[in-house]
Amino acid sequence: VDRTFGHGVLHGRPLPGLAEDVVASVVSLGDSLAAGGLRYGFTTVTTPLGDEVAFVTRRRDSATGADFTYGFTVPPTHLATRILDPAFRSVRLVPRHLLRTVAANDDYLAIEVTSSEGRPLYATGERYRDGPTDALTLPRIRGAFTVRVHLNPSIKDALIPGGIPGRVPWREMVMSGLALLMTITVAAFGLRAAELARLRADFATSVTHELRTPLTQIRLAAETVALGRSRSPEATVRSMEHVVAETHRLQQLIDNVLSFSRAERGNRELAVVPTRLRPVVESAAERFAPLVADRRIDIQVEVPESLAVLADASALAQIVLNLIDNAARYGPDGQMIVIGAAARGSRVELFVDDQGPGIAPRDRRRVWDAYVRLDRARDAAPTGTGLGLAVVRELAEAQGGSGRLEGSAAGGLRVVISLQPSDRPG
């Protein structure tokens, strides 16, 4: 969140003019963390997309001495299904020797978590309403959540030898389990922040490597010509063609980084107009062909002349270039990359097939995220920024489209981009 201008991005969607009270709440929480010497906190905020849980941390820039508050937001359903519920079901809150017959935590208690405004965030069920109940409100830096517990009345006496005599503060035992839940929540945020830091560090290293390789090739080819080391006019031409090809590679890398940066800042502008699909695909394939000529990779275009879509031509070209680059990067030498398209119901589907090892179904959603590179990808191609498919998804969605991965007929991977059709050619 930009404190000065009140701009932000939520789930990949820009939120210009983010409400001042949201910005103030997040920054104030960061101030409280700094004052208390704490690392992480969380709170609920109301955004144009509804209620969100904001996880916040405060860091000081060692170079400038300035303090920065940053973090991320998740829908309450994510907090419930990905953090609180797995934590509740994976840790046994009552020692086994006390209740050997109880298989799971929800056999003896039910938990409800509500926001400071009383909105429900998480619940394990409606059971045990007739049993002993108590509640605890967490401090402000922990969201001011209220955690209410209902104990199973049929087993309450087994928790303490001799039974519970009237109103005994039994909640300390139960609340210790709830404190564990909230600790896991904060730890999850810390792990996520550390993971983001690692991914960004990997990204910086990858970009540096990606820049160094073509720059080295350009310098060597240019020096060969400038110092008169070419043995023939044909060799000179080949050196200059190599410079042009590597320049195209650099341009694509820069375009990807700039495109992702614009998307993060929410200031991308696209001209979505009727566009003939085949000329854009052919032009992109021709631009990329010199980059893979030494690997004997053939790029085949099978896009009908009649197909037209509602798209920004330059953004569509960048999508195609990224998909060809992915197919070439992770596929074998001598493969054929097929770029095709067809009308499917109310959409036009553009696809790129390769003959590489493919991606396991369990990983096909994750690779669309920025900075993500699978172990398979690291082994097959040591280079890469982890931005290619993230940029493809962002550009596709900005044009009213979407993307998915599936197996190709050639045994590799097929990337499918669904686009809006146009009734008239561009």
Side-chain angles (χ1 to χ4, degrees):
V1 173
D2 187 309
R3 181 176 188 176
T4 304
F5 301 103
H7 291 176
V9 174
L10 188 61
H11 309 322
R13 293 172 56 182
L15 294 176
L18 197 64
E20 290 184 5
D21 58 342
V22 173
V23 179
S25 175
V26 170
V27 173
S28 174
L29 180 58
D31 293 340
S32 298
L33 292 173
L38 302 173
R39 297 185 64 186
Y40 306 110
F42 49 90
T43 186
T44 52
V45 295
T46 301
T47 75
L49 297 184
D51 288 342
E52 296 281 316
V53 180
F55 292 86
V56 179
T57 188
R58 170 67 73 89
R59 289 292 182 271
R60 172 161 294 180
D61 189 317
S62 58
T64 65
D67 289 330
F68 293 90
T69 296
Y70 63 93
F72 61 89
T73 63
V74 298
T77 53
H78 284 46
L79 176 72
T81 60
R82 301 189 183 185
I83 298 178
L84 294 179
D85 197 62
F88 177 73
R89 303 192 184 285
S90 64
V91 178
R92 187 181 178 94
L93 300 181
V94 173
R96 190 175 300 277
H97 68 274
L98 283 181
L99 293 173
R100 295 180 181 276
T101 60
V102 174
N105 292 328
D106 53 7
D107 287 334
Y108 77 91
L109 60 83
I111 293 178
E112 300 169 354
V113 181
T114 56
S115 69
S116 57
E117 294 81 15
R119 299 187 182 95
L121 299 175
Y122 172 67
T124 60
E126 298 291 330
R127 294 178 294 176
Y128 316 139
R129 292 291 183 180
D130 297 331
T133 183
D134 212 330
L136 174 70
T137 298
L138 300 175
R140 174 176 171 271
I141 58 173
R142 296 293 181 252
F145 294 169
T146 296
V147 183
R148 179 168 295 279
V149 176
H150 302 273
L151 187 65
N152 183 347
S154 66
I155 64 170
K156 62 183 178 62
D157 291 337
L159 294 175
I160 297 178
I164 298 179
R167 280 190 59 85
V168 171
W170 59 271
R171 74 173 187 170
E172 277 75 5
M173 177 186 64
V174 176
M175 289 305 167
S176 65
L178 300 181
L180 176 63
L181 286 181
M182 306 317 294
T183 300
I184 292 175
T185 301
V186 176
F189 168 66
L191 292 173
R192 177 58 176 162
E195 176 68 5
L196 288 174
R198 183 190 67 79
L199 290 173
R200 284 179 170 85
D202 288 349
F203 168 71
T205 302
S206 298
V207 168
T208 301
H209 183 80
E210 288 280 279
L211 289 171
R212 182 184 292 117
T213 301
L215 284 174
T216 300
Q217 297 297 324
I218 290 172
R219 180 174 60 82
L220 291 175
E223 286 178 351
T224 298
V225 176
L227 298 177
R229 294 174 180 169
S230 297
R231 298 182 180 180
S232 66
E234 290 77 12
T236 299
V237 171
R238 284 196 298 272
S239 294
M240 297 312 298
E241 288 176 343
H242 201 58
V243 168
V244 172
E246 293 300 325
T247 302
H248 281 307
R249 190 187 300 274
L250 277 177
Q251 184 65 54
Q252 184 185 353
L253 173 62
I254 293 170
D255 287 345
N256 275 346
V257 174
L258 288 177
S259 179
F260 187 73
S261 176
R262 292 192 189 104
E264 289 282 277
R265 297 174 185 271
N267 60 358
R268 169 179 294 285
E269 294 183 3
L270 298 180
V272 179
V273 297
T275 304
R276 290 178 58 212
L277 193 54
R278 185 178 178 91
V280 175
V281 173
E282 285 183 331
S283 175
E286 289 171 2
R287 286 173 55 189
F288 200 90
L291 303 181
V292 292
D294 59 336
R295 294 179 54 196
R296 308 179 314 282
I297 293 177
D298 183 28
I299 303 174
Q300 183 174 335
V301 176
E302 298 179 354
V303 177
E305 291 278 1
S306 60
L307 283 182
V309 295
L310 292 175
D312 179 290
S314 62
L316 186 57
Q318 190 174 355
I319 287 175
V320 176
L321 285 170
N322 279 353
L323 294 183
I324 299 175
D325 180 60
N326 250 32
R329 190 183 298 272
Y330 303 117
D333 293 352
Q335 71 167 323
M336 175 180 290
I337 298 173
V338 177
I339 311 171
R344 293 283 187 270
S346 61
R347 309 288 286 180
V348 170
E349 292 190 344
L350 172 70
F351 62 86
V352 176
D353 286 353
D354 64 41
Q355 296 176 329
I359 295 177
R362 66 178 181 276
D363 293 324
R364 288 178 183 173
R365 293 183 62 183
R366 191 160 66 91
V367 294
W368 293 101
D369 295 335
Y371 311 121
V372 171
R373 298 187 67 223
L374 304 179
D375 292 338
R376 172 201 66 83
R378 295 177 186 273
D379 295 338
T383 62
T385 62
L387 286 184
L389 285 180
V391 169
V392 167
R393 179 177 68 175
E394 185 272 324
L395 290 175
E397 291 178 350
Q399 300 173 85
S402 61
R404 70 177 188 274
L405 304 181
E406 55 189 43
S408 75
L413 181 71
R414 167 174 287 194
V415 185
V416 181
I417 304 300
S418 175
L419 299 167
Q420 300 181 80
S422 173
D423 295 333
R424 58 188 180 86

